[in-house]
Amino acid sequence: MKERKLGFATIAVHGKKRLDKHETQIPIRALSTPIFQSSTFAFESAEQGAAIFAGEQEGYYYTRLGNPTQTALENEMAFLEGGEAGLATASGMAATATLIISLARSGEKVVASDTLYGGTHQLFVNTFPRLNIEVQEVDASDPQNIERAIDERTRLVFIETPANPTLKLVDIEAVASITRKQGVALVVDNTFCTPYYQNPLELGADYSLHSATKYIGGHGDTVAGIIVGPADGIKQLKKEFLRDLGGVISPFNAWLLLRGLKTLPVRMEKHSENAMEIAQFLSFHPKVSRVWFPWLRTHPQYELAKRQMRGPGGMIAFELKGGREAGRKLMNSVEVCVLAVSLGDVDTLIQHPATMTHCGYTPEELEEVGITEGLVRLSVGLEDVDDLIYDLRQAMKRI
Ligand code: LCS
């Protein structure tokens, strides 16, 4: 448009670069992946646009269906999980819901472990039945219970290990040998371990998913999810279900997770080291009746933990002898630990599963899965461990 002097508003909207198609692009070799904060992408020609829409040509065209910052994250997570492809979503719940809806249809069934993040349980018992997808939750610490629950309507098995909040484990390899034999998919929620400590796909699972809100992001500033699995399954998920359900990650959040991944190993090591010391402190505390932490010999599945995981992570559950009242006082007395839900952050977070994250379980269900009134969950952060122990000790004195 050299022949015409464009107006201020036109230049303000389009910028000089876009309008001058001959301008030479200076190669940029940014160390940090750029945030492609763009909802849409210009086609080179009408023909190219049509070819991309027809699926005959690869290319970015609309961020709900793909964005370079998302792709960078998806590729990196797929690599770290040992999977073929990845898909980033707006939240961990979007990852779970989108994946299951893509695998199971109305009239079909999901078999799941019985101890799950409260939101996942609510999705299973409230929302999926409305779509005529039945979910049967079983005690998956014995894989035989999963085998017994699988019938001809079952399309997938969903397990969370370690489970939120009680750190109950499921033997991924044993369950994978059952799902393979039965021809159903195995999905593992790997949020608590991250790929640094556990790789479900290498143990035979078909999909691994995460609430990336937690350790992957790591700083308590992002809500996001990730699914890793076979290339064809992820492609279908992306082309059909994410397109239709729309739970896509934003480029900025994808970038925050890419940044989080850079420090994941050092954070996980420190979370584990701090948590190990705190778990030992709690084990010997006279006001604590029980501690659940995979790296303690008292954990009922200690052998499995050592076989299946390369480290414990920072999650601890413990039961106070004084029950709910003691828990209430403890949580109101901490000064360094923060009374908040979520987990996997640099800050140590403390919360009460029965009345907070797992309030969607009925009292009977809570009892069945061992989420008692006196159970407190601690997500151990990266503070000086002596300060955390000092804080817990002073808070314990007030109960
Ligand atoms: N899976 C696990 C194991 C989780 O702990 C959570 C959230 C989700 C999936 C869902 O992910 P989101 O959509 O929140 O990213 N867990 C939470 C918790 O324990 N407290 O607050 C959220």
Side-chain angles (χ1 to χ4, degrees):
M1 285 226 177
K2 286 213 170 93
E3 66 286 357
R4 183 179 163 78
K5 189 173 185 313
L6 296 168
F8 183 96
T10 306
I11 294 171
V13 170
H14 290 275
K16 186 175 172 302
K17 253 189 198 152
R18 175 100 52 76
L19 295 168
D20 184 355
K21 294 203 168 154
H22 305 293
E23 180 166 316
T24 330
Q25 293 282 326
I26 301 163
I28 301 165
R29 296 197 287 163
L31 180 68
S32 167
T33 306
I35 305 168
F36 286 84
Q37 195 67 33
S38 189
S39 55
T40 194
F41 298 82
F43 299 120
E44 283 168 19
S45 64
E47 292 77 12
Q48 190 220 20
I52 289 177
F53 261 88
E56 292 156 5
Q57 197 178 320
E58 292 278 317
Y60 294 106
Y61 57 109
Y62 188 59
T63 283
R64 176 156 47 78
L65 302 149
N67 172 292
T69 318
Q70 293 166 5
T71 307
L73 170 68
E74 290 165 352
N75 290 346
E76 189 158 336
M77 274 300 292
F79 187 72
L80 293 173
E81 276 284 25
E84 288 176 358
L87 182 64
T89 55
S91 66
M93 289 309 301
T96 305
T98 309
L99 179 59
I100 294 181
I101 287 173
S102 84
L103 294 172
R105 290 161 194 257
S106 168
E108 295 181 337
K109 180 176 148 180
V110 177
V111 174
S113 47
D114 63 1
T115 312
L116 300 161
Y117 163 55
T120 307
H121 173 72
Q122 289 197 25
L123 171 73
F124 288 179
V125 299
N126 297 329
T127 307
F128 280 160
R130 289 177 52 188
L131 305 176
N132 196 28
I133 296 171
E134 184 200 338
V135 184
Q136 185 181 350
E137 293 180 4
V138 299
D139 176 2
S141 61
D142 178 359
Q144 293 307 312
N145 291 335
I146 292 201
E147 182 145 40
R148 275 190 283 273
I150 294 174
D151 62 19
E152 68 291 343
R153 289 180 305 128
T154 307
R155 286 293 158 268
L156 74 127
V157 170
F158 183 99
I159 57 177
E160 189 180 295
T161 180
N164 186 350
T166 56
L167 285 304
K168 186 168 162 179
L169 306 184
V170 183
D171 186 334
I172 299 172
E173 218 166 3
V175 175
S177 73
I178 294 166
T179 53
R180 283 270 148 88
K181 203 170 64 189
Q182 305 276 356
V184 301
L186 174 59
V187 179
V188 179
D189 185 330
N190 199 24
T191 299
F192 272 34
C193 273
T194 81
Y196 185 64
Y197 281 146
Q198 181 170 273
N199 299 105
L201 303 186
E202 285 173 11
L203 297 168
D206 299 286
Y207 291 91
S208 172
L209 65 79
H210 297 262
S211 166
T213 313
K214 311 299 181 314
Y215 290 108
I216 308 284
H219 294 72
D221 51 19
T222 322
V223 172
I226 298 259
I227 308 163
V228 174
D232 52 351
I234 293 288
K235 194 170 172 193
Q236 200 206 1
L237 248 180
K238 193 173 208 159
K239 284 193 114 174
E240 294 176 23
F241 294 93
L242 201 65
R243 181 197 65 193
D244 296 348
L245 298 174
V248 71
I249 196 170
S250 73
F252 182 61
N253 281 354
W255 180 82
L256 283 171
L257 300 189
L258 278 167
R259 187 170 67 161
L261 282 175
K262 289 176 195 275
T263 55
L264 182 69
V266 282
R267 284 189 287 109
M268 290 312 286
E269 294 283 353
K270 187 67 181 166
H271 281 299
S272 299
E273 196 186 302
N274 281 358
M276 187 74 208
E277 278 201 46
I278 292 174
Q280 276 163 342
F281 159 75
L282 291 170
S283 300
F284 292 110
H285 199 283
K287 291 183 181 169
V288 173
S289 55
R290 218 176 145 180
V291 180
W292 283 266
F293 184 66
W295 252 225
L296 285 184
R297 282 184 190 279
T298 49
H299 190 290
Q301 296 159 297
Y302 175 75
E303 301 300 327
L304 172 61
K306 288 280 179 171
R307 176 153 48 85
Q308 167 164 292
M309 298 154 59
R310 291 185 293 277
M315 298 304 297
I316 302 174
F318 59 99
E319 181 146 353
L320 291 166
K321 285 179 184 162
R324 179 160 174 182
E325 187 50 18
R328 189 185 66 77
K329 285 188 183 151
L330 179 83
M331 283 181 283
N332 283 336
S333 305
V334 289
E335 288 169 10
V336 179
C337 304
V338 182
L339 175 54
V341 295
S342 200
L343 60 101
D345 293 348
V346 292
D347 311 62
T348 295
L349 308 178
I350 191 165
Q351 68 107 9
H352 183 238
T355 58
M356 295 174 187
T357 49
H358 291 71
C359 66
Y361 278 71
T362 62
E364 299 74 38
E365 286 168 343
L366 285 174
E367 199 187 318
E368 229 173 277
V369 300
I371 304 174
T372 59
E373 294 259 301
L375 190 84
V376 175
R377 192 189 75 181
L378 199 62
S379 169
V380 179
L382 304 184
E383 301 92 335
D384 289 296
V385 72
D386 292 346
D387 292 336
L388 294 173
I389 291 176
Y390 182 88
D391 188 31
L392 288 167
R393 187 178 282 128
Q394 68 78 22
M396 288 281 194
K397 281 190 188 140
R398 299 204 221 164
I399 68 179

